[in-house]
Amino acid sequence: MKRYPHSLDLQPAIRAVGTVRLPGSKSISNRTLLLAALAEGTTEIRELLASDDTHVMLMALQKLGVRWEQAGVSQDYTVHGVGGAFPTHQADLFMGNAGTAIRPLTAALAVTGGDYTLHGVARMHERPIGDLVDALNAVGARIAYTGEVGYPPLHIQRGHIHAHRMAVRGNVSSQFLTALLMAAPLMARDQAITIDVVGELISKPYIEITLNLMRRFGVEVQRDDWRSFTIAAGERYTSPGAIHVEGDASSASYFLAAGAIAGGPVRVEGVGRDSIQGDLRFVEALEQMGAQVTMGENWVEAASSGVLKAIDADFNHIPDAAMTIAVAALFADGPSTLRNIGSWRVKETDRLSAMATELRKLGATVEEGADSLRITPPAEILPAAIDTYDDHRIAMCFSLASLTGAARPGARIRINDPKCVAKTFPDYFEAFASITKDELF
Ligand SMILES: O=C(O)C1=C[C@@H](OP(=O)(O)O)[C@@H](O)[C@H](O)C1
Ligand SMILES: C=C(OP(=O)(O)O)C(=O)O
């Protein structure tokens, strides 16, 4: 893995311009790995993301007896599907801090049967999983907490699943519904299964990614809006042969915001107008702020010729990319408000509180609500050492404060513990350096 120093100093840059080839989508990579493992047949996965989160998924699948090979030093993998049940019935699995690994694997292991323990880094043991465990145990799974109730570590034993209807709460994380949807065909052997969402569902576009990939692996889900999802009896995953992983739209947000703040154009390659990732809707927020965005089949570009406009919007549908808007708001012409982002509190860190603290270091006035942030930009961005809380997105989005916008110049930014970017984007700072210039041409 990459080596970064304990802290990284970013000099102010007066222009952002260039092209970045994006790493693969985390959400698509980890879903594809699991579906390929569960499917009948062999799947070629092209351009899988290389990062901590995909590493824990690959290692877990290996421990579960799934065979896969990497083609040389490329990010192309061959996964030999096991056709429903994992060959290894006992395993201790380290999940790091990957929500996209622990949640779907918990459901898949609980319904296929065996004796498994799942644990992760300290923060993983503070991230809720109770709604998913409740939904599974209610239909006969046997999942126990070995630490605090409601949180990993988990001990999964063979249960007796008898379900034609399940219910799951959707207001803490959409990953619980994603996990049940992906595991449902493993349960729906003789009868259809309906999953009802109880209460509000957050982060909805991630469910579209789940349904899209399930469809590519041969399983069609009938849905009633966002309320209930039905998987017919006898559906099973079959390999589509090959799957190409799109570039990561959340990772794209940093470069596109750089183009919007500091002139541009900045182009990202690997994701484009047919993307299945909701985070691409981040560009709508950039446009509202006054940036010019253009999009092709496999690229997106952002530029700006003036002062960014303040924004007041609901960001529930793009919780990850919304962090990028919070830093872009430093360059706006007035106070911005980000609403409906309460899920930030249960991610890599309490992101609402951490973002407020770090934005204040740069001179911003920040009001932290229960599920919102109001950011008033400073007259001048102050030099600061940004703490990253082991949160890759904090490390990445605060790099933007080193850019010079039309409203105010960027500052000298130190990023403490930058290596946390390895969760989704190990080469982030090299890619960022490649588009920042300290002279106009
Ligand atoms: O399903 C997914 O791939 C994800 C869903 C989102 O989580 P929540 O549903 O918990 O908001 C997002 O923040 C996370 O990075 C990836
Ligand atoms: C919330 C995130 O990750 P996870 O998939 O672990 O939930 C994230 O990547 O911002």
Side-chain angles (χ1 to χ4, degrees):
M1 266 286 152
K2 247 218 116 62
R3 286 190 180 275
Y4 276 120
H6 290 307
S7 65
L8 193 66
D9 288 326
L10 304 173
Q11 302 304 327
I14 57 177
R15 176 102 192 263
V17 65
T19 300
V20 169
R21 175 94 203 147
L22 295 167
S25 153
K26 170 196 72 171
S27 297
I28 297 176
S29 292
N30 270 355
R31 282 167 173 77
T32 302
L33 282 172
L34 182 57
L35 294 176
L38 294 171
E40 283 161 19
T42 297
T43 305
E44 306 288 339
I45 307 177
R46 310 247 156 81
E47 293 197 67
L48 190 83
L49 170 66
S51 78
D52 286 356
D53 278 12
T54 48
H55 182 74
V56 296
M57 181 61 106
L58 281 163
M59 290 302 125
L61 293 175
Q62 191 172 61
K63 275 195 158 182
L64 291 166
V66 177
R67 285 190 308 118
W68 52 260
E69 295 108 35
Q70 182 176 8
V73 292
S74 77
Q75 276 309 110
D76 296 346
Y77 285 74
T78 303
V79 178
H80 303 276
V82 297
F86 294 109
T88 306
H89 295 138
Q90 201 164 22
D92 176 65
L93 304 173
F94 175 68
M95 302 275 90
N97 196 7
T100 55
I102 195 170
R103 278 109 181 222
L105 272 172
T106 294
L109 294 171
V111 308
T112 52
D115 192 317
Y116 305 104
T117 48
L118 278 74
H119 54 96
V121 300
R123 176 61 183 172
M124 179 61 103
H125 299 172
E126 297 172 349
R127 296 184 65 187
I129 199 160
D131 293 335
L132 176 61
V133 170
D134 288 350
L136 288 161
N137 282 351
V139 294
R142 280 179 69 197
I143 310 172
Y145 302 107
T146 63
E148 207 184 320
V149 171
Y151 301 88
L154 303 176
H155 181 201
I156 302 177
Q157 289 171 286
R158 189 180 293 278
H160 292 284
I161 306 286
H162 43 82
H164 60 92
R165 204 146 198 143
M166 306 181 72
V168 67
R169 281 155 49 91
N171 64 343
V172 170
S173 171
S174 71
Q175 291 177 1
F176 305 148
L177 175 59
T178 279
L180 293 181
L181 284 166
M182 293 211 285
L186 311 173
M187 299 184 254
R189 290 290 189 228
D190 317 312
Q191 56 180 345
I193 290 200
T194 296
I195 304 166
D196 296 311
V197 180
V198 180
E200 158 102 23
L201 176 66
I202 64 164
S203 303
K204 292 187 181 73
Y206 288 98
I207 301 302
E208 301 286 7
I209 302 181
T210 305
L211 298 177
N212 181 293
L213 289 168
M214 287 175 67
R215 190 176 310 127
R216 285 203 243 170
F217 278 88
V219 172
E220 193 65 48
V221 178
Q222 312 298 323
R223 65 193 280 187
D224 171 12
D225 197 23
W226 297 104
R227 280 183 292 275
S228 70
F229 298 82
T230 299
I231 293 90
E235 293 266 4
R236 49 185 63 225
Y237 291 124
T238 49
S239 166
I243 281 223
H244 175 253
V245 178
E246 297 177 10
D248 193 294
S250 320
S251 300
S253 71
Y254 312 108
F255 306 107
L256 296 174
I261 293 165
V266 175
R267 179 180 282 220
V268 290
E269 287 179 350
V271 76
R273 67 168 88 85
D274 298 329
S275 171
I276 63 168
Q277 298 169 75
D279 259 13
L280 202 58
R281 289 184 57 198
F282 165 80
V283 300
E284 294 168 12
L286 273 192
E287 283 176 323
Q288 274 183 51
M289 294 178 85
Q292 290 94 50
V293 178
T294 42
M295 224 182 257
E297 205 179 314
N298 201 31
W299 57 268
V300 186
E301 198 172 275
S304 168
S305 48
V307 179
L308 291 181
K309 291 190 285 232
I311 186 167
D312 180 338
D314 185 318
F315 286 97
N316 191 275
H317 60 301
I318 54 167
D320 295 356
M323 293 171 74
T324 313
I325 294 291
V327 181
L330 292 172
F331 297 92
D333 60 0
S336 291
T337 306
L338 282 66
R339 299 181 190 277
N340 209 357
I341 48 172
S343 72
W344 278 17
R345 293 205 186 275
V346 293
K347 299 198 189 255
E348 279 74 339
T349 185
D350 176 342
R351 287 176 167 171
L352 265 165
S353 144
M355 290 295 288
T357 304
E358 302 310 308
L359 286 165
R360 284 182 194 126
K361 285 186 186 169
L362 298 168
T365 304
V366 184
E367 285 166 46
E368 178 189 338
D371 67 350
S372 64
L373 272 190
R374 182 178 155 89
I375 302 150
T376 306
E380 185 189 340
I381 297 177
L382 307 176
I386 300 298
D387 289 317
T388 48
Y389 309 76
D390 213 10
D391 184 342
H392 55 141
R393 296 203 193 284
I394 294 189
M396 295 191 281
C397 68
F398 275 94
S399 62
L400 297 172
S402 67
L403 297 172
T404 289
R408 49 193 73 78
R412 193 155 179 270
I413 300 297
R414 168 169 288 184
I415 304 285
N416 288 329
D417 302 313
K419 67 178 184 314
C420 57
V421 296
K423 187 174 194 284
T424 55
F425 199 159
D427 294 331
Y428 174 74
F429 287 104
E430 284 85 343
F432 183 71
S434 77
I435 57 144
T436 52
K437 316 282 165 205
D438 55 11
E439 51 198 313
L440 274 178
F441 291 100

mmCIF file of all heavy atoms in Angstrom, residues 11 19 40 67 86 116 121 142 202 276 341-342 402 422 437:
data_model
loop_
_atom_site.group_PDB
_atom_site.id
_atom_site.type_symbol
_atom_site.label_atom_id
_atom_site.label_comp_id
_atom_site.label_asym_id
_atom_site.label_seq_id
_atom_site.Cartn_x
_atom_site.Cartn_y
_atom_site.Cartn_z
ATOM 1 N N GLN A 11 0.352 23.665 -0.774
ATOM 2 C CA GLN A 11 0.556 25.109 -0.995
ATOM 3 C C GLN A 11 -0.664 25.656 -1.719
ATOM 4 O O GLN A 11 -1.300 24.949 -2.491
ATOM 5 C CB GLN A 11 1.805 25.336 -1.860
ATOM 6 C CG GLN A 11 3.086 24.763 -1.285
ATOM 7 C CD GLN A 11 3.391 25.288 0.119
ATOM 8 O OE1 GLN A 11 3.077 26.436 0.422
ATOM 9 N NE2 GLN A 11 3.964 24.454 0.961
ATOM 10 N N THR A 19 -6.950 16.762 -16.375
ATOM 11 C CA THR A 19 -7.814 15.584 -16.523
ATOM 12 C C THR A 19 -7.365 14.504 -15.540
ATOM 13 O O THR A 19 -6.174 14.275 -15.384
ATOM 14 C CB THR A 19 -7.715 15.032 -17.963
ATOM 15 O OG1 THR A 19 -8.152 16.066 -18.855
ATOM 16 C CG2 THR A 19 -8.584 13.803 -18.163
ATOM 17 N N GLU A 40 -23.902 -18.211 -10.162
ATOM 18 C CA GLU A 40 -23.449 -19.391 -10.893
ATOM 19 C C GLU A 40 -22.601 -18.893 -12.048
ATOM 20 O O GLU A 40 -23.012 -17.970 -12.754
ATOM 21 C CB GLU A 40 -24.650 -20.163 -11.438
ATOM 22 C CG GLU A 40 -25.333 -20.971 -10.366
ATOM 23 C CD GLU A 40 -26.746 -21.358 -10.760
ATOM 24 O OE1 GLU A 40 -27.074 -21.316 -11.955
ATOM 25 O OE2 GLU A 40 -27.510 -21.661 -9.834
ATOM 26 N N ARG A 67 -13.052 -18.613 -4.887
ATOM 27 C CA ARG A 67 -11.794 -18.480 -5.634
ATOM 28 C C ARG A 67 -11.864 -17.261 -6.545
ATOM 29 O O ARG A 67 -12.868 -17.050 -7.239
ATOM 30 C CB ARG A 67 -11.540 -19.733 -6.482
ATOM 31 C CG ARG A 67 -11.092 -20.924 -5.661
ATOM 32 C CD ARG A 67 -10.612 -22.059 -6.559
ATOM 33 N NE ARG A 67 -11.588 -22.409 -7.583
ATOM 34 C CZ ARG A 67 -11.377 -22.300 -8.887
ATOM 35 N NH1 ARG A 67 -10.233 -21.850 -9.371
ATOM 36 N NH2 ARG A 67 -12.316 -22.653 -9.758
ATOM 37 N N PHE A 86 -21.627 -20.322 0.480
ATOM 38 C CA PHE A 86 -20.173 -20.261 0.594
ATOM 39 C C PHE A 86 -19.613 -21.637 0.971
ATOM 40 O O PHE A 86 -20.152 -22.318 1.851
ATOM 41 C CB PHE A 86 -19.764 -19.230 1.633
ATOM 42 C CG PHE A 86 -20.114 -17.823 1.223
ATOM 43 C CD1 PHE A 86 -21.128 -17.126 1.855
ATOM 44 C CD2 PHE A 86 -19.432 -17.209 0.183
ATOM 45 C CE1 PHE A 86 -21.454 -15.834 1.470
ATOM 46 C CE2 PHE A 86 -19.753 -15.913 -0.215
ATOM 47 C CZ PHE A 86 -20.774 -15.226 0.425
ATOM 48 N N TYR A 116 -19.877 -17.786 11.841
ATOM 49 C CA TYR A 116 -18.995 -16.706 11.401
ATOM 50 C C TYR A 116 -18.917 -15.593 12.436
ATOM 51 O O TYR A 116 -19.919 -15.282 13.095
ATOM 52 C CB TYR A 116 -19.513 -16.088 10.099
ATOM 53 C CG TYR A 116 -19.733 -17.082 8.982
ATOM 54 C CD1 TYR A 116 -21.027 -17.485 8.644
ATOM 55 C CD2 TYR A 116 -18.656 -17.614 8.276
ATOM 56 C CE1 TYR A 116 -21.231 -18.391 7.605
ATOM 57 C CE2 TYR A 116 -18.856 -18.521 7.247
ATOM 58 C CZ TYR A 116 -20.149 -18.915 6.913
ATOM 59 O OH TYR A 116 -20.341 -19.807 5.907
ATOM 60 N N VAL A 121 -12.485 -2.249 12.469
ATOM 61 C CA VAL A 121 -11.701 -1.289 13.244
ATOM 62 C C VAL A 121 -12.597 -0.724 14.347
ATOM 63 O O VAL A 121 -13.812 -0.939 14.348
ATOM 64 C CB VAL A 121 -11.169 -0.143 12.342
ATOM 65 C CG1 VAL A 121 -10.264 -0.692 11.236
ATOM 66 C CG2 VAL A 121 -12.317 0.669 11.736
ATOM 67 N N ARG A 142 -29.817 -16.260 13.162
ATOM 68 C CA ARG A 142 -29.249 -16.273 14.526
ATOM 69 C C ARG A 142 -28.002 -15.417 14.532
ATOM 70 O O ARG A 142 -26.894 -15.898 14.301
ATOM 71 C CB ARG A 142 -28.898 -17.707 14.942
ATOM 72 C CG ARG A 142 -30.112 -18.494 15.413
ATOM 73 C CD ARG A 142 -29.698 -19.898 15.772
ATOM 74 N NE ARG A 142 -28.860 -19.971 16.974
ATOM 75 C CZ ARG A 142 -28.125 -21.021 17.303
ATOM 76 N NH1 ARG A 142 -28.108 -22.087 16.514
ATOM 77 N NH2 ARG A 142 -27.403 -21.020 18.400
ATOM 78 N N ILE A 202 -33.387 6.683 3.602
ATOM 79 C CA ILE A 202 -32.390 7.702 3.237
ATOM 80 C C ILE A 202 -31.504 7.192 2.090
ATOM 81 O O ILE A 202 -31.541 6.003 1.754
ATOM 82 C CB ILE A 202 -31.509 8.111 4.447
ATOM 83 C CG1 ILE A 202 -30.671 6.924 4.945
ATOM 84 C CG2 ILE A 202 -32.361 8.702 5.572
ATOM 85 C CD1 ILE A 202 -29.513 7.340 5.850
ATOM 86 N N ILE A 276 -24.689 4.892 -13.259
ATOM 87 C CA ILE A 276 -25.746 4.393 -12.367
ATOM 88 C C ILE A 276 -25.555 4.934 -10.944
ATOM 89 O O ILE A 276 -26.290 4.559 -10.041
ATOM 90 C CB ILE A 276 -25.803 2.842 -12.352
ATOM 91 C CG1 ILE A 276 -24.504 2.233 -11.797
ATOM 92 C CG2 ILE A 276 -26.097 2.312 -13.739
ATOM 93 C CD1 ILE A 276 -24.613 0.736 -11.494
ATOM 94 N N ILE A 341 -28.798 15.893 6.311
ATOM 95 C CA ILE A 341 -27.554 15.107 6.226
ATOM 96 C C ILE A 341 -27.236 14.439 7.578
ATOM 97 O O ILE A 341 -26.076 14.257 7.934
ATOM 98 C CB ILE A 341 -26.364 15.987 5.758
ATOM 99 C CG1 ILE A 341 -26.296 17.301 6.561
ATOM 100 C CG2 ILE A 341 -26.458 16.265 4.266
ATOM 101 C CD1 ILE A 341 -25.054 18.139 6.300
ATOM 102 N N GLY A 342 -28.299 14.056 8.301
ATOM 103 C CA GLY A 342 -28.118 13.457 9.630
ATOM 104 C C GLY A 342 -27.308 12.167 9.595
ATOM 105 O O GLY A 342 -26.646 11.807 10.581
ATOM 106 N N SER A 402 -7.126 24.727 -0.361
ATOM 107 C CA SER A 402 -5.844 25.282 -0.819
ATOM 108 C C SER A 402 -5.986 25.983 -2.173
ATOM 109 O O SER A 402 -5.029 26.574 -2.667
ATOM 110 C CB SER A 402 -4.796 24.169 -0.921
ATOM 111 O OG SER A 402 -5.155 23.267 -1.952
ATOM 112 N N ALA A 422 -6.814 5.912 1.773
ATOM 113 C CA ALA A 422 -6.725 4.543 1.242
ATOM 114 C C ALA A 422 -8.059 3.804 1.299
ATOM 115 O O ALA A 422 -8.255 2.804 0.607
ATOM 116 C CB ALA A 422 -5.665 3.754 2.002
ATOM 117 N N LYS A 437 -2.255 24.156 -10.081
ATOM 118 C CA LYS A 437 -1.134 24.922 -10.633
ATOM 119 C C LYS A 437 -0.895 26.137 -9.758
ATOM 120 O O LYS A 437 -1.850 26.763 -9.295
ATOM 121 C CB LYS A 437 -1.453 25.436 -12.050
ATOM 122 C CG LYS A 437 -2.118 24.425 -12.960
ATOM 123 C CD LYS A 437 -1.139 23.420 -13.530
ATOM 124 C CE LYS A 437 -1.898 22.245 -14.128
ATOM 125 N NZ LYS A 437 -1.230 21.009 -14.220
#
